[in-house]
Amino acid sequence: MEPIVWEWVNFLVRWLHVVTAIAWIGSSFYFIHLDLSLRRRDGLPPGVAGEAWQVHGGGFYNMMKYTVAPPELPEKLTWFKWEAYATWLSGFALLSVLYYHGAALYMIDPAVLDIPWWGGVLLSLGALGLGWHVYDRLCKSPLGKDDVKLAAAGFVFLVLVAWGLSHVFSGRAAMLHVGALIGTMMSANVFRIIIPNQTKAVAAMKAGQVPDPALGKQAKQRSLHNNYLTLPVVFLMISNHYPLAFGTRYSWVIVAVVLVVGAVIRHFFNSRHAGKPTPWWTWAVAAAGVAVIVGLSAAGTRTESAAAPARVEFAQVEEVVLSRCSMCHAVQPVWEGIGVAPRGVMLDSAEAIGRHAPQIRVWAALSDAMPPGNVTGITPEERRLLAAWTDQLPR
């Protein structure tokens, strides 16, 4: 029963993580839209930067934003923070259930770096903690006074992290950890900067003082970072389901391109919400970026191998699949910790192998996603053999 219980724990924690992430992303996008759509008019109360009229669910809403804070606080004040906290906590729980508990399968690849499972966990925790500290230092450095220079420095930092992690973890875990670091940065922005600054502003008002405008400016900068990082982090978090994203030679370059694509798409919507000229060019950049990603994913695995024979016999393919894959992809998997065949794919007969040729091509020939962590020791030559076999099949 243990593999079945862990499978359900994984499913339920993932469900929780997705739900809380939807709530956080939704509120984040809403408030960025609201902030950018505010308009000034005569007759607004003192200290109001602008207002926006909205309609939803049959009702009309008049939203106003104060530059620093209103003259008096209402009795009840809603704080938008629990979505961020719940998203990070559920995400870390999912990281623990899937990657820490199953480190040998999903996180460690001896061909990349042969370390014990606990070493991988320590490196993971260190990357998340140190990564936040470096990002926070960049924001508080002189670079933080120039949004463009800070964005460029942050981009270089994240690309270096992606490159470094690709030399530490399996391809799946490396890309996932870049997403986990960005998620940690975003959540810590809320926990360490945005909410504390808002708390200080409220405390100053209660004491009859004028809140420091710098607190709001710093919080807004971090909130804007979160907005521009949202689309890339969603891509990175779901990338573990798509081997051509994480299991190919230039996965870390794909991360760099995704950061750009996500940012320009958000720039398009932010400009539209602010009433600025529509930057249609962003879609050309995004389309070009996606084309680059597709091209990079076709570069093959991270290991070189000799060319496979021009003609591959099915008996050769069957031998490779049965020896490298069927211990998990069978009616009754014999690999410890695997209760049912992953994705319901059976590879324990000639008929099943032929039926799943497209999946074999993507997961084990064009990428090194399978076997996870290369636990069965499939060789580069065997991957090329599988690729050559799938090439010669009728389309």
Side-chain angles (χ1 to χ4, degrees):
M1 287 296 293
E2 183 180 356
I4 297 176
V5 171
W6 276 105
E7 187 72 11
W8 276 105
V9 170
N10 179 357
F11 187 1
L12 295 175
V13 173
R14 190 184 299 270
W15 186 24
L16 174 63
H17 184 52
V18 170
V19 170
T20 55
I22 289 172
W24 185 18
I25 293 172
S27 63
S28 173
F29 279 9
Y30 170 74
F31 277 103
I32 289 292
H33 169 272
L34 175 62
D35 195 59
L36 293 172
S37 63
L38 293 169
R39 299 293 182 268
R40 291 195 58 82
R41 67 169 177 81
D42 294 336
L44 289 176
V48 173
E51 69 171 358
W53 281 87
Q54 302 177 354
V55 59
H56 179 74
F60 292 88
Y61 300 83
N62 181 211
M63 315 296 289
M64 293 188 293
K65 178 184 177 180
Y66 287 81
T67 307
V68 180
E72 295 182 5
L73 284 176
E75 181 178 346
K76 181 174 177 56
L77 188 62
T78 301
W79 294 78
F80 286 86
K81 57 182 180 180
W82 299 113
E83 302 93 335
Y85 300 164
T87 299
W88 189 88
L89 290 171
S90 60
F92 186 77
L94 185 59
L95 181 67
S96 302
V97 168
L98 187 58
Y99 284 87
Y100 294 171
H101 177 259
L105 272 179
Y106 300 115
M107 191 159 67
I108 306 301
D109 186 344
V112 177
L113 186 64
D114 194 1
I115 54 177
W117 70 267
W118 54 265
V121 173
L122 290 179
L123 286 172
S124 169
L125 295 172
L128 298 182
L130 181 61
W132 153 254
H133 181 74
V134 172
Y135 161 73
D136 188 49
R137 290 297 96 194
L138 285 173
C139 292
K140 293 176 179 177
S141 73
L143 286 172
K145 298 178 181 179
D146 188 316
D147 286 338
V148 175
K149 291 181 180 179
L150 178 60
F155 172 78
V156 172
F157 165 63
L158 289 175
V159 173
L160 287 175
V161 168
W163 176 83
L165 290 177
S166 70
H167 290 77
V168 174
F169 297 132
S170 67
R172 180 198 303 261
M175 188 168 280
L176 189 283
H177 273 76
V178 179
L181 171 58
I182 296 176
T184 298
M185 290 160 46
M186 295 169 65
S187 299
N189 277 341
V190 177
F191 183 67
R192 297 289 300 276
I193 303 297
I194 297 173
I195 294 301
N197 284 13
Q198 290 177 338
T199 301
K200 292 175 184 177
V202 170
M205 290 187 59
K206 290 181 176 179
Q209 303 170 354
V210 177
D212 183 359
L215 296 174
K217 183 177 180 181
Q218 185 186 44
K220 183 177 179 180
Q221 183 187 59
R222 300 297 182 100
S223 180
L224 192 62
H225 290 177
N226 285 4
N227 178 255
Y228 275 96
L229 288 171
T230 298
L231 296 184
V233 80
V234 171
F235 178 98
L236 295 171
M237 287 307 187
I238 63 177
S239 68
N240 64 100
H241 298 286
Y242 299 93
L244 292 182
F246 69 78
T248 52
R249 186 172 304 168
Y250 299 113
S251 58
W252 67 273
V253 183
I254 290 176
V255 172
V257 179
V258 166
L259 290 171
V260 174
V261 170
V264 297
I265 291 175
R266 283 310 306 159
H267 179 67
F268 172 84
F269 287 104
N270 289 343
S271 297
R272 295 270 291 180
H273 297 331
K276 299 179 180 178
T278 302
W280 294 108
W281 59 267
T282 56
W283 291 106
V285 173
V290 171
V292 170
I293 289 172
V294 173
L296 290 170
S297 72
T301 65
R302 289 177 287 181
T303 54
E304 298 287 349
S305 65
R311 184 71 185 175
V312 178
E313 299 298 329
F314 181 76
Q316 298 172 277
V317 173
E318 186 176 22
E319 181 181 358
V320 171
V321 174
L322 290 178
S323 62
R324 307 299 190 187
C325 311
S326 63
M327 61 283 300
C328 293
H329 291 279
V331 176
Q332 292 184 327
V334 297
W335 193 270
E336 184 179 357
I338 302 295
V340 294
R343 295 174 175 261
V345 175
M346 308 297 179
L347 299 174
D348 51 1
S349 69
E351 188 274 333
I353 293 172
R355 185 170 65 253
H356 292 293
Q359 292 95 321
I360 292 173
R361 178 176 176 81
V362 171
W363 286 84
L366 299 182
S367 74
D368 57 13
M370 288 290 167
N374 198 15
V375 291
T376 59
I378 189 171
T379 67
E381 290 71 27
E382 289 171 332
R383 292 190 190 278
R384 286 294 301 128
L385 186 144
L386 294 177
W389 169 63
T390 56
D391 279 338
Q392 69 189 33
L393 292 176
R395 294 290 189 265

